């Protein structure tokens, strides 16, 4: 195994080990500070981060605003206060020389306001901004304004090229690194393009090499690329280390830090991780962001899959094959479906799925009365946690704050489920993000006999190559 030596990143020498930023209270000041203290780059999530009361207890994010816009303002305030609290804790735990990054999602509601509020309120405590989920053109402007480095997350050289030509070339000196997040291996939201097949994973090496070649065209041959997704034992990536073709490479760990003493996830979640088997993490497209995402398959995802199966197309008048009349809703308004779909609908009704919900694609999905009521209640309670949300039809751009489309009942309230699972909620009834290598907790001897390492112990173990 080659020695893991420090690389130059963000103007300083650090171990090429980066903690992945896991949104909504999972990567926090405790994990980021401990990771940075061990010599790597610690990352706390600035996505709806936790803040604390005078007794040090977590303040649960509840909303009293009567309108979505009012609740959105509450959400932004929570985000700023929480991000500041996590930055302070990360700096205190990591020390004055620690490298601390804040991770934001460009498509989160109020992203620019939140990160500016954090950087204003935690001056000098954040060294870099990591940002993905969309095309964050203005990331370089924010970095220049506050004198911090920036680390865009991309899944292809083409995406980086677009960012560079439109914006980043004007802030070359502050580009600390480029995160390549593999769309088939990484946990959370993934940047699959329309031309890529979610069922046909591609090897990361040629994709990262293409990214490096694109960066070299821009004079960025010495800017680190951070490989994110699928990294477990570094000995499996030995060919990447000190590889002249790839240039300087760092490795990001998102899933492994979940199972550490500092990790804030529940003990039940940690125990679940060491029981996962190959295939237990699935790539699915139910997220209200519109991106694919990778999460542990559980009852929550199973119900979303089943809901989409209970779906038929309809038209507002009889045409083509749509010759069977079907009555929808309490007012029994007629729509037309195919005779085959009419028979399917009747069978679902007999099974208890008596409520029909319209989608933006002129289809009907069938649910139980209880599930349908929960969907509608969640849509009504929207607080605008995303810049655009297909589940609730929210958009943060006025004047009416809607995207002009029907809210999509095939999706879900992502803020509700991620807040709940991060704060001891049900592991079966919520979304649990994880990378596709999470099953390796079960077979990795490092975790035998239920061992849960500290972050320091984990980093030391990673440096051995295994």
């Amino acid at each position: 195994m080659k020695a893991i030596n420090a690389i130059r990143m963000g103007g300083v020498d650090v171990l090429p080990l980066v903690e992945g930023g896991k949104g909504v209270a999972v990567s926090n000041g405790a994990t980021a500070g401990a990771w940075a203290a061990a010599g790597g780059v610690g990352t706390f999530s600035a996505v709806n981060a936790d803040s604390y009361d005078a007794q040090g207890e977590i303040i649960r994010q509840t909303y009293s605003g009567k309108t979505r816009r009012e609740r959105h303002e509450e959400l932004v305030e929570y985000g700023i206060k929480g991000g500041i609290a996590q930055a302070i804790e990360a700096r205190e735990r990591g020390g004055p020389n620690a490298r601390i990054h804040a991770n934001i999602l460009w498509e989160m509601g109020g992203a620019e306001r939140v990160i500016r509020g954090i950087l204003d309120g935690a001056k000098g405590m954040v060294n870099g901004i990591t940002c993905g989920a969309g095309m964050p053109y203005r990331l370089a402007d924010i970095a220049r304004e506050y004198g911090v480095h920036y680390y865009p997350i991309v899944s292809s050289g083409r995406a980086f090229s677009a960012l560079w030509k439109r914006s980043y070339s004007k802030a070359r000196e502050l580009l600390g690194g480029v995160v390549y997040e593999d769309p088939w291996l990484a946990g959370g939201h993934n940047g699959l393009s329309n031309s890529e097949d979610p069922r046909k994973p591609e090897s990361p090496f040629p994709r990262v090499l293409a990214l490096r070649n694109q960066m070299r065209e821009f004079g960025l041959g010495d800017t680190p690329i951070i490989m994110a997704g699928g990294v477990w034992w570094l000995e499996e990536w030995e060919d990447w280390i000190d590889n002249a073709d790839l240039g300087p490479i760092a490795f990001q760990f998102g899933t492994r830090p979940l199972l550490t003493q500092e990790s804030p996830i529940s003990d039940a979640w940690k125990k679940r991780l060491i029981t996962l088997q190959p295939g237990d993490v699935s790539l699915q497209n139910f997220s209200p962001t519109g991106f694919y995402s990778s999460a542990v398959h559980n009852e929550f995802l199973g119900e979303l899959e089943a809901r989409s199966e209970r779906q038929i197309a309809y038209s507002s008048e009889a045409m083509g094959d749509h010759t069977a009349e079907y009555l929808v809703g309490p007012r029994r308004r007629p729509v037309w479906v195919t005779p085959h779909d009419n028979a399917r609908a009747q069978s679902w009704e007999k099974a208890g799925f008596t409520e029909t919900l319209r989608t933006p694609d002129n289809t009907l999905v069938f649910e139980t009365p209880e599930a349908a009521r929960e969907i509608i209640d969640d849509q009504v309670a929207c607080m605008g946690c995303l810049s655009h949300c297909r589940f609730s039809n929210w958009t943060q751009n006025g004047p009416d704050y809607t995207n002009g489309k029907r809210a999509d009942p095939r999706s879900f309230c992502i803020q509700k489920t991620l807040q709940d699972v991060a704060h001891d909620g049900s592991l079966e009834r919520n979304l649990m993000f994880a990378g596709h290598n999470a099953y390796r907790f079960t077979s990795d001897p490092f975790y035998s006999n239920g061992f849960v390492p500290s972050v320091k112990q984990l980093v030391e173990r990673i440096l051995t190559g295994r």
Side-chain angles (χ1 to χ4, degrees), residues 1-6 15-17 234 241 251 462-465:
M1 178 65 199
K2 295 176 182 176
I4 307 300
N5 299 312
L15 290 175
L17 309 178
L234 286 184
I241 300 169
F251 298 95
I462 290 170
L463 287 171
T464 70

Side-chain angles (χ1 to χ4, degrees), residues 106-165:
W106 196 247
E107 295 300 334
M108 78 183 195
E112 290 190 58
R113 292 172 61 195
V114 170
I115 195 60
R116 282 195 166 92
I118 293 170
L119 294 173
D120 280 329
K123 291 185 183 298
M125 298 183 187
V126 177
N127 305 111
I129 312 168
T130 306
C131 185
M135 295 294 281
Y137 293 112
R138 290 181 53 78
L139 181 61
D141 296 333
I142 298 171
R144 186 191 296 111
E145 182 179 341
Y146 288 92
V148 300
H149 288 84
Y150 64 104
Y151 299 80
I153 301 173
V154 301
S155 294
S156 68
R158 181 179 179 183
F160 179 74
S161 178
L163 290 166
W164 181 261
K165 291 177 179 178

Side-chain angles (χ1 to χ4, degrees), residues 24 57 63 97 100 102 107 125 141 178 218-219 245 270 283 298 312 317 337-338 346 371 382 425 436 455 461:
V24 184
E57 298 296 322
Y63 296 86
N97 297 320
I100 303 297
E107 295 300 334
M125 298 183 187
D141 296 333
V178 178
F218 301 140
D245 292 330
K270 292 177 181 179
L283 184 63
N298 57 7
I312 59 174
E317 58 186 39
V337 301
T338 68
Q346 301 299 331
C382 173
H436 287 260
V455 167
R461 178 71 168 188

